[in-house]
Amino acid sequence: MKIEIKALEKKYDNGFKALKGIDLEITEGMFGLLGPNGAGKSTLMKILVTMQDYTTGSILIDGKDIRKERREVRKIIGYLPQDFRFFTRLKTWEFLDYATGLSGMFSRKQQRGKVDEMLAKVGLYEVRDRYAQDLSGGMKRRLGIAQALITNPKMLVVDEPTTGLDPEERIRFRNLLSELGNQDTIIILSTHIVGDISSTCNQMAVLHEGEIAFVGSPEELIARAKNSVWQLHVSNSEYDLLKEKYPVISTIPADNGWEIQLVGDDIEGFEGKKIKPNLEHAYVHLMEYKLNAWQL
Ligand code: ADP
Ligand code: MG
């Protein structure tokens, strides 16, 4: 199982180029697509799941051209869109039953079993009789995942999965996704939140203004920021000065000032110690020092 994207461009009807030549190969496992709002993530996700057409380039999924073999390709795709909404007035199980019926993949009897099995898997069996619209934010997302997964897709696309979730729900959702990954499935998770790209992502890419700014493993991205994260103890006035010049990642009150962490290739005139970068540091470093795009 493999997705091959070549020289992909997308120009919207108003002339705006949202994707400017994407080359990407995605293999089995969890793939994280990270990028700020407006980068083109949803555009790319919608194209991949054949909900939207592209302008030029090509995409092969499992060797099949998604334009020429759209029906075939659709059978192996599960998709949870960014703006996923429920039909109102359906109970949790009814919603899943209805969505599954649309796929036409199971007999009536098979389907009932599948629905219950899936509800149990995503931890919603207990609330199966509750109206879907009355579920918590995290539960709604899990129902969305159940809907995307029930046909057993080889490729699952989840766009901004944790938007609107509280930290606890976010962790739970992330764990659920990583449990679902198996050997010949591709899970693509698109997000603007660095924390969503967990260690379970074996591959990732950073998308910026319609272009791929990085592709590799999270560890490789982190390695690039190796000598560029600093911890400093500063006074109020020093802090004011530094935050104008560098992306400050964290600030903790300390004796007569602040203990801060910032990203910078050097910190001329200041004293601090280098610390080991994490993925958030590395993302900020890429944005600021390679793309000049970090908003201070
Ligand atoms: P992301 O999901 O990374 O936030 P999107 O793919 O939603 O980014 O959008 C990328 C860019 O394309 C944005 O500048 C957005 O305004 C623009 N865009 C999205 N949809 C359309 C459309 N239908 N027509 C014109 N521009 C669009
Ligand atoms: Mg989006």
Side-chain angles (χ1 to χ4, degrees):
M1 179 66 183
K2 193 160 68 168
I3 303 172
E4 295 159 274
I5 304 171
K6 293 215 178 85
L8 185 74
E9 296 198 354
K10 171 67 186 182
K11 199 188 213 175
Y12 280 111
D13 290 343
N14 65 1
F16 183 80
K17 238 184 190 186
L19 300 175
K20 305 171 185 163
I22 305 287
D23 289 291
L24 207 53
E25 190 170 304
I26 301 173
T27 50
E28 284 97 355
M30 174 106 79
F31 184 92
L33 182 71
L34 179 64
N37 285 325
K41 302 180 300 295
S42 293
T43 300
L44 181 58
M45 299 298 98
K46 282 185 247 175
I47 291 172
L48 274 180
V49 301
T50 76
M51 299 287 289
Q52 184 171 277
D53 201 8
Y54 52 90
T55 310
T56 57
S58 69
I59 303 176
L60 299 182
I61 294 178
D62 216 6
K64 297 182 182 74
D65 184 306
I66 69 163
R67 249 186 199 160
K68 294 183 191 131
E69 298 180 73
R70 190 162 131 173
R71 285 169 70 97
E72 284 304 301
V73 166
R74 282 196 167 180
K75 286 185 195 153
I76 60 169
I77 292 176
Y79 175 44
L80 179 56
Q82 179 169 355
D83 53 4
F84 181 64
R85 295 266 190 290
F86 299 103
F87 304 101
T88 48
R89 298 281 96 199
L90 284 185
K91 290 179 177 170
T92 298
W93 78 266
E94 285 172 331
F95 171 79
L96 192 55
D97 192 56
Y98 177 73
T100 310
L102 292 180
S103 77
M105 278 190 50
F106 308 108
S107 71
R108 201 59 222 147
K109 205 168 140 223
Q110 261 181 331
Q111 186 169 314
R112 288 304 287 274
K114 278 274 166 195
V115 165
D116 282 350
E117 191 187 306
M118 204 63 214
L119 286 171
K121 202 163 177 177
V122 298
L124 292 177
Y125 192 80
E126 307 291 307
V127 294
R128 63 202 293 279
D129 285 321
R130 199 185 290 178
Y131 284 107
Q133 66 195 30
D134 296 336
L135 297 174
S136 74
M139 287 173 169
K140 281 180 182 157
R141 286 266 129 191
R142 281 187 268 141
L143 180 54
I145 277 290
Q147 160 275 137
L149 275 177
I150 199 157
T151 53
N152 224 352
K154 286 173 79 181
M155 169 180 157
L156 174 67
V157 174
V158 188
D159 194 1
E160 300 278 0
T162 65
T163 306
L165 300 190
D166 63 36
E168 206 175 301
E169 287 177 324
R170 192 168 282 180
I171 291 166
R172 180 148 189 203
F173 193 84
R174 225 160 46 204
N175 290 344
L176 173 66
L177 275 187
S178 57
E179 279 165 28
L180 294 170
N182 68 48
Q183 303 217 314
D184 57 11
T185 311
I186 293 179
I187 300 180
I188 303 177
L189 185 156
S190 132
T191 182
H192 71 281
I193 297 163
V194 182
D196 284 347
I197 308 286
S198 61
S199 50
T200 44
C201 286
N202 50 341
Q203 318 166 77
M204 67 174 287
V206 175
L207 190 64
H208 176 246
E209 293 180 353
E211 291 177 286
I212 298 288
F214 169 85
V215 56
S217 66
E219 293 74 25
E220 280 162 343
L221 185 59
I222 290 171
R224 292 186 175 201
K226 199 168 137 209
N227 289 309
S228 307
V229 186
W230 303 81
Q231 185 157 324
L232 300 83
H233 188 167
V234 295
S235 67
N236 282 330
S237 58
E238 286 173 319
Y239 173 53
D240 287 339
L241 227 118
L242 283 164
K243 73 173 193 248
E244 293 301 314
K245 243 181 119 181
Y246 302 96
V248 173
I249 306 291
S250 71
T251 319
I252 301 167
D255 294 344
N256 308 314
W258 306 93
E259 182 88 13
I260 65 171
Q261 289 182 3
L262 61 78
V263 175
D265 283 342
D266 58 64
I267 46 165
E268 288 163 28
F270 286 91
E271 281 199 21
K273 62 169 189 192
K274 283 182 186 170
I275 58 170
K276 234 176 119 182
N278 60 30
L279 194 60
E280 189 183 6
H281 297 135
Y283 178 57
V284 172
H285 183 257
L286 177 79
M287 284 296 179
E288 168 70 7
Y289 289 91
K290 206 174 154 218
L291 307 171
N292 240 325
W294 189 253
Q295 318 262 315
L296 285 175

